Amino acid sequence: MRWSGQQVLDDGVGAEPALPGLRGLLRTVRPPEFAGITFHEVEARSALNRVPGASRMPFTWTVNPYRGCSHACVYCLAGPTRILLADGSVRPIAELRVGDAVLGTEPDPERPGARRYVPTRVLAHWSTRKPAHTVRLAGGTTLVTSAEHRFLSDHGWRHVAPGWCRAGRRPHLRAGTRLLGIGRFRRDAADAGSAPGGTAHTGAYRRGYLCGLVRSDGPAAFPSDRLPLEVLGRAHHYLAALATAPARPVVAAGVEPGRMALVAPARPARRATPAEVAAWPADPDEAWCAGFLAGCVDARGVVSAGELRIEHHDEEMIGRIAGAVHRLGFGFVVELVPDVRAGVRAVRLAGGAPALMRLLQTVDPAVGARHGLGGAPVTAGDPELEVVDVRATGRTIAMYDITTGTGDFVAEGVISHNCFARNTHTYLDLDAGTDFDTQIVVKTNVARVLERELRAPRWQREQVAMGTNTDPYQRAEGRYRLMPGIVRALARSGTPLSILTKGTVLQRDLPELVAAAADVPVGLGVSIALLDRELQARLEPGTPSPTARLDMVRRITDAGLECGVMVAPVLPLLTDSAEQLDAVFERIAAAGATGATVLALHLRRGTREWFLQWLERERPDLVEPYAQLYRRGAYVDKAYRDQLAARVAPLLRRHGLDRRRNRTRDITPPERIAPTVVTGEQLTLL
């Protein structure tokens, strides 16, 4: 063993970084018998995990002795990189904090295959040091990022620089690649509270804001039943600043001749009246126009799908609003508003979401979040987002990364992929790509903690399902042997258990499972997706072969335990023909399986990008058909699911795999967490 590779440092072990923010970390090791895998050994505070109430699963508790991660701290950006917040303002990524509201994207239910912008929260934030690359765009934007970072292009996610992963050579940016995003930020855009152009709110801006607010609101200025508190607070602050005082200095008594001293006014300052505030300036400058539009937006602005409209019944106001929009360099359209009120018109900002973003950054309304970009469509074709060149700088610098609820965010106007760290910080998502098993978090004390939780008076001995999230019999179990203690703890407490796995390490624990089955209901299931060994090795690298898993099914049933098989995920147009499925069911039945469930592929965020990259490389002819089948999101088209169900049902009957065996104990076995032929649930490709 090379002990230099095991040395624990402040920032990691050997050449490998420690997981950011990992709580309870005991040590991080890289055993030589697990080449390329890093184990992060932790002490867990809890073992039982409650399944969310909204889940359709028929069990409410799980135990996960292992957590894996896929892309720890590789999608990184330089600290000054500006991130678009949900209210249209920006903030450097180095200054973001957990809980901040930023802008992400999600599939657009109204436009199959398209995306839309939505507000999302920062769930995690950390820093590291990485070799820097620059990505220069045609519009003048330059991003400083790591080689592994990914941006969304009109052909899918692309890494910054070429490289390799287990799935093969990764797609990367080239000169001419057109990126997707909301467009370049204003060069001087800043966080909320400064406008226009990132400067402080000047006197002209304040007067313009009050004028826009008063005139937009009609004769009664600042009615508290209509305006948000943020608007009222800003208005009162600006009014106080504009309080009038005598224009000439007052000579203080007792001061030497020839010298003056300013003293308090002889009469108290008074607040400006609405008429004074609403006065039109003779020659408004850009600062006044920015403030004026901010007031109008706060009072009467309406945003829908990324388009801003400012409505008013007064022709002069419509003209003034249009003039201010034009003065700040934006396009507009004046249109009638379909309304029961006669004569209401609107100034509509032209240019969609990109123009709205720049307007919000320019004028800085008090309630920008109310006029945010949520719901705006993600559009392609912006020539300013075309890649000009990508270069390595030769420098290693501090970089930052975040995790968001949507899995992405907008950096310098471009949609940027984020790390798959979950909001607990203690692990990274196993489903994020081909490297899901290279970082493993090991809960070394999980059996001891579980025993304590099972002794609690409130524990009702509900079924505990394992293998529904991470595989409890993955390769790491051969080293750490956590499952025997978990099985014994559950059995001694009278708690039913079920296990779904593709790992043949389970055979080691058959005596423990047989003993447990004498005390509590035990359900076992094995996941077998396909029989083609070559295809299986490419899709599920590092997992036991189909033959080895079928042999495990036989060993389980020979030991007197029932074993179901999860035929999942079925890959549309690859492993779903009647001939292929018939061959799988024949082998499963011959191995003694007591039932089978069929599930179609589920392409959730993270898995989707990885799988489509594999498909583009291995079967480019199927890229377009898959785009149609999964055009509505992670789930395959319902028509396909219905066809699959109709194809599978007679095959299951033929091989005797469609009947539930009579069970004397009340437990949901792993292969029955859904109906025999599942049309509403799908399995994620792990």
Side-chain angles (χ1 to χ4, degrees), residues 172-502:
H172 61 279
L173 299 180
R174 305 173 185 272
T177 300
R178 188 70 61 84
L179 301 181
L180 299 185
I182 205 159
R184 63 185 177 90
F185 297 160
R186 284 180 56 98
R187 186 168 300 174
D188 49 8
D191 201 349
S194 57
T199 61
H201 292 174
T202 64
Y205 175 90
R206 295 176 178 183
R207 288 189 294 273
Y209 183 84
L210 292 170
C211 179
L213 200 62
V214 171
R215 288 189 173 271
S216 291
D217 218 28
F222 319 130
S224 58
D225 61 333
R226 286 187 53 193
L227 296 176
L229 288 176
E230 298 90 338
V231 176
L232 290 173
R234 179 183 283 194
H236 286 296
H237 173 68
Y238 287 178
L239 281 169
L242 292 178
T244 58
R248 58 182 180 81
V250 178
V251 180
V255 179
E256 296 180 23
R259 310 187 74 175
M260 291 188 302
L262 294 177
V263 299
R267 50 185 165 82
R270 67 176 180 85
R271 189 177 295 272
T273 66
E276 292 171 332
V277 168
W280 296 116
D283 185 21
D285 59 11
E286 288 191 3
W288 188 94
C289 289
F292 175 70
L293 282 179
C296 294
V297 168
D298 278 341
R300 291 186 176 268
V302 177
V303 173
S304 175
E307 288 193 332
L308 169 68
R309 289 176 173 81
I310 305 175
E311 302 177 0
H312 210 283
H313 63 277
D314 183 71
E315 285 289 343
E316 182 182 15
M317 268 298 290
I318 289 293
R320 294 279 186 171
I321 293 169
V325 171
H326 178 72
R327 175 67 182 270
L328 295 178
F330 294 91
F332 65 91
V333 175
V334 177
E335 55 192 14
L336 287 172
V337 176
D339 197 285
V340 294
R341 298 168 295 168
V344 177
R345 300 169 72 87
V347 176
R348 176 170 58 85
L349 182 69
L356 175 58
M357 174 197 67
R358 287 191 283 272
L359 182 79
L360 294 176
Q361 292 173 357
T362 300
V363 308
D364 186 29
V367 285
R370 192 182 70 178
H371 309 292
L373 301 160
V378 175
T379 57
D382 188 345
E384 293 189 344
L385 298 185
E386 184 174 303
V387 175
V388 175
D389 63 39
V390 179
R391 296 185 183 182
T393 66
R395 297 181 296 118
T396 297
I397 64 173
M399 292 191 179
Y400 297 80
D401 201 2
I402 61 175
T403 295
T404 70
T406 59
D408 60 7
F409 55 94
V410 179
E412 295 294 346
V414 179
I415 298 173
S416 172
H417 211 284
N418 70 198
C419 177
F420 286 96
R422 298 188 183 178
N423 59 338
T424 61
H425 278 209
T426 60
Y427 61 97
L428 300 178
D429 196 343
L430 279 171
D431 306 331
T434 59
D435 296 328
F436 71 92
D437 61 349
T438 60
Q439 302 274 342
I440 304 297
V441 176
V442 185
K443 301 176 183 178
T444 57
N445 64 336
V446 64
R448 186 171 69 253
V449 173
L450 179 61
E451 286 181 349
R452 184 191 69 221
E453 293 177 333
L454 295 174
R455 289 196 300 267
R458 64 179 179 276
W459 177 243
Q460 300 298 310
R461 294 175 176 80
E462 300 174 74
Q463 178 186 344
V464 172
M466 291 170 283
T468 60
N469 184 12
T470 57
D471 196 330
Y473 282 105
Q474 58 183 275
R475 291 180 61 201
E477 175 61 17
R479 170 185 172 89
Y480 288 97
R481 302 180 67 88
L482 300 179
M483 283 299 293
I486 293 173
V487 171
R488 286 194 295 268
L490 291 169
R492 283 198 292 260
S493 71
T495 300
L497 64 109
S498 64
I499 300 171
L500 175 64
T501 183
K502 63 182 71 172

Side-chain angles (χ1 to χ4, degrees), residues 595-607:
T597 294
V598 179
L599 295 153
L601 175 64
H602 178 203
L603 288 179
R604 76 177 191 178
R605 184 181 299 275
T607 305

